[in-house]
Amino acid sequence: MTEPRNPGMSSIPQAAPVHTDSTSPAVEMDPVEYTLRKRLPRKLPKRRNDVYVNMKTDFRAQLARCQKLLEGGGHREICVHGLGLAINRAINIALQLQASSQGVLQLAANTSTVELVDDLEPEDPDEAGEPMTRTRNNSAIHIKVFYPDPQ
Amino acid sequence: MTEPRGQMKSSNGASSTVMALQSASSSPDVQFSSLSPKLEPSNFRRVSRTEDCSPYPIPGLAADILHMRVKEGSKIRNLLRFATARMQGEGNDGSGTSLRQVVFTGSGRGVTKTITCVEILKRKVGGLHQVSKLYYKTVNEIWESPQQGAPGRNTQRTVPAICILLSKDPLDPQEPGYQPPETLSVTTEDVERRRALFRPAHSASLQHTAKRVCMDDLSVCSPQTSKD
């Protein structure tokens, strides 16, 4: 039961918060053990031309989806979003789109910070551990890929 | 590239399907970002690695601008200690005036760290205008064979890179990738004045919110909601 339902979520190694700050109200992990459960990022706006890049889906599939939106879908611009580790892939997709359009497409990148929430659940309910939540920040990128307006 | 799509449907054991999925999803990033031959012999030794010193992709920058090169192993605290000291330099020791602009660049796996640095610096300093640019960076590598006399190999790779300019002065809003400073419905001057007045309290509260720990009720964060 303590096993997270989604093995892909728990196996992201670099996102585990290891720093406990001395100035913050003490995060005492000991002696009670906690299970760290990461909530999904807050629900984001999803227009038809928004693409949220992740690290689970095949890279070529995500690139093809963007190409389809721009060429077949008739969109003048799409928005490629990436969070954390997926920033690299989002940039890669945007640059690949630009390269395959022979430089017609333009990119406009914006960065932001996304607040993520982790749940800390006590392993053993008999011990006096209280369930807690912890917020942390992660970086994100939003790349607008668009055909410039004819001047 | 070599993997046929149909392989995922023909289920010859769950584990092998996962393996195929993983290899298919991890390799294309490398393939797309590099033009080098796919199989680099592992016993070749990399002798040198030179990056092209291309000009800044952002137009109209001074040559002597403070340039922070974020690498994969750079420590964020080191970068930010230096950058914030130069950006908020006024009044502390009186030695130099504070800088108006700073450029952060990073490539490959350092891109995420670059963005994180910029985001933290924006929160710390406040009222900064930003322009971000994406580009491919060319990296020349010379590989040496372990056997004596065997020819070495020269490869060229392209890695995705980001270049972010932060400025206290207003920038061209028409420039692609421009971001105005984040103000909470107050003008820039207002922020500046308030920052000057309440610098210690302000920065302390920022740090506090960044590493806040909420002690919420179970009802707020019940596991059922997070599962489904």
Side-chain angles (χ1 to χ4, degrees):
Chain A
M1 280 305 281
T2 55
E3 210 39 43
R5 196 173 61 98
N6 195 339
M9 290 283 284
S10 64
S11 66
I12 302 168
Q14 106 291 1
V18 285
H19 52 272
T20 51
D21 199 38
S22 54
T23 59
S24 65
V27 189
E28 287 296 331
M29 297 295 286
D30 290 331
V32 188
E33 289 197 356
Y34 284 93
T35 310
L36 192 129
R37 211 181 287 269
K38 290 171 187 163
R39 287 192 206 171
L40 285 173
R42 224 164 54 83
K43 203 69 192 158
L44 291 156
K46 183 98 174 75
R47 289 164 297 173
R48 206 160 276 222
N49 57 346
D50 273 321
V51 178
Y52 286 89
V53 174
N54 64 18
M55 293 307 285
K56 290 184 199 164
T57 314
D58 183 72
F59 176 83
R60 276 166 293 157
Q62 299 184 74
L63 182 63
R65 186 163 146 225
C66 296
Q67 270 165 341
K68 209 166 154 190
L69 279 174
L70 281 168
E71 286 157 17
H75 289 283
R76 294 289 296 169
E77 67 169 62
I78 62 169
C79 251
V80 183
H81 310 265
L83 173 68
L85 194 60
I87 288 175
N88 256 332
R89 186 171 272 196
I91 293 176
N92 233 332
I93 284 180
L95 287 170
Q96 286 292 325
L97 287 171
Q98 190 182 34
S100 61
S101 74
Q102 279 90 34
V104 178
L105 282 170
Q106 282 199 14
L107 308 180
N110 280 2
T111 64
S112 72
T113 305
V114 176
E115 203 165 82
L116 298 173
V117 183
D118 294 333
D119 292 327
L120 290 169
E121 296 163 10
E123 289 270 337
D124 191 353
D126 297 337
E127 291 180 63
E130 269 185 44
M132 298 192 289
T133 63
R134 184 184 343 196
T135 57
R136 64 193 160 92
N137 290 327
N138 209 343
S139 302
I141 196 164
H142 316 276
I143 311 167
K144 193 170 83 168
V145 185
F146 60 102
Y147 292 106
D149 287 324
Q151 300 290 316
Chain B
M1 287 296 174
T2 55
E3 222 141 340
R5 302 288 304 175
Q7 198 181 336
M8 290 169 196
K9 282 178 204 152
S10 67
S11 60
N12 44 0
S15 60
S16 69
T17 316
V18 172
M19 288 276 284
L21 272 171
Q22 278 182 346
S23 66
S25 66
S26 63
S27 60
D29 262 342
V30 182
Q31 276 181 9
F32 272 107
S33 64
S34 68
L35 300 175
S36 67
K38 197 186 152 206
L39 280 178
E40 193 65 58
S42 56
N43 53 358
F44 269 57
R45 203 162 54 86
R46 194 170 69 192
V47 182
S48 77
R49 183 171 179 276
T50 50
E51 295 168 358
D52 61 335
C53 42
S54 57
Y56 299 118
I58 300 172
L61 282 189
D64 57 344
I65 192 169
L66 175 61
H67 183 188
M68 306 292 292
R69 292 178 188 85
V70 183
K71 302 279 169 64
E72 200 182 324
S74 308
K75 294 283 173 278
I76 290 181
R77 59 171 179 273
N78 294 342
L79 293 163
L80 285 179
R81 196 191 302 138
F82 184 78
T84 45
R86 298 292 295 272
M87 291 296 275
Q88 316 183 310
E90 75 277 359
N92 284 344
D93 51 350
S95 61
T97 54
S98 63
L99 291 173
R100 307 296 299 174
Q101 295 190 326
V102 60
V103 171
F104 282 84
T105 56
S107 62
R109 269 182 273 182
V111 166
T112 316
K113 195 166 276 186
T114 312
I115 295 175
T116 305
C117 280
V118 168
E119 287 293 320
I120 296 174
L121 187 66
K122 275 198 295 185
R123 246 176 296 155
K124 260 191 184 166
V125 177
L128 290 176
H129 299 256
Q130 177 184 354
V131 169
S132 323
K133 292 282 179 195
L134 307 175
Y135 59 101
Y136 273 127
K137 183 179 206 165
T138 319
V139 179
N140 276 309
E141 287 177 349
I142 299 169
W143 295 76
E144 194 175 62
S145 156
Q147 290 115 29
Q148 292 296 316
R153 198 185 274 195
N154 205 335
T155 62
Q156 249 193 8
R157 296 195 302 129
T158 53
V159 290
I162 193 165
C163 177
I164 302 178
L165 167 69
L166 289 178
S167 171
K168 290 181 184 172
D169 305 316
L171 300 166
D172 178 18
Q174 298 304 311
E175 185 71 29
Y178 170 78
Q179 265 175 280
E182 270 192 40
T183 49
L184 303 163
S185 68
V186 283
T187 58
T188 320
E189 296 81 35
D190 220 341
V191 172
E192 290 270 335
R193 204 181 319 131
R194 212 188 286 175
R195 211 160 41 84
L197 281 174
F198 305 112
R199 168 80 44 77
H202 183 66
S203 59
S205 71
L206 264 185
Q207 277 180 358
H208 184 69
T209 48
K211 302 211 167 157
R212 182 182 48 194
V213 172
C214 312
M215 305 275 205
D216 275 1
D217 225 348
L218 179 61
S219 56
V220 184
C221 55
S222 57
Q224 279 81 18
T225 52
S226 66
K227 266 187 177 176
D228 282 310

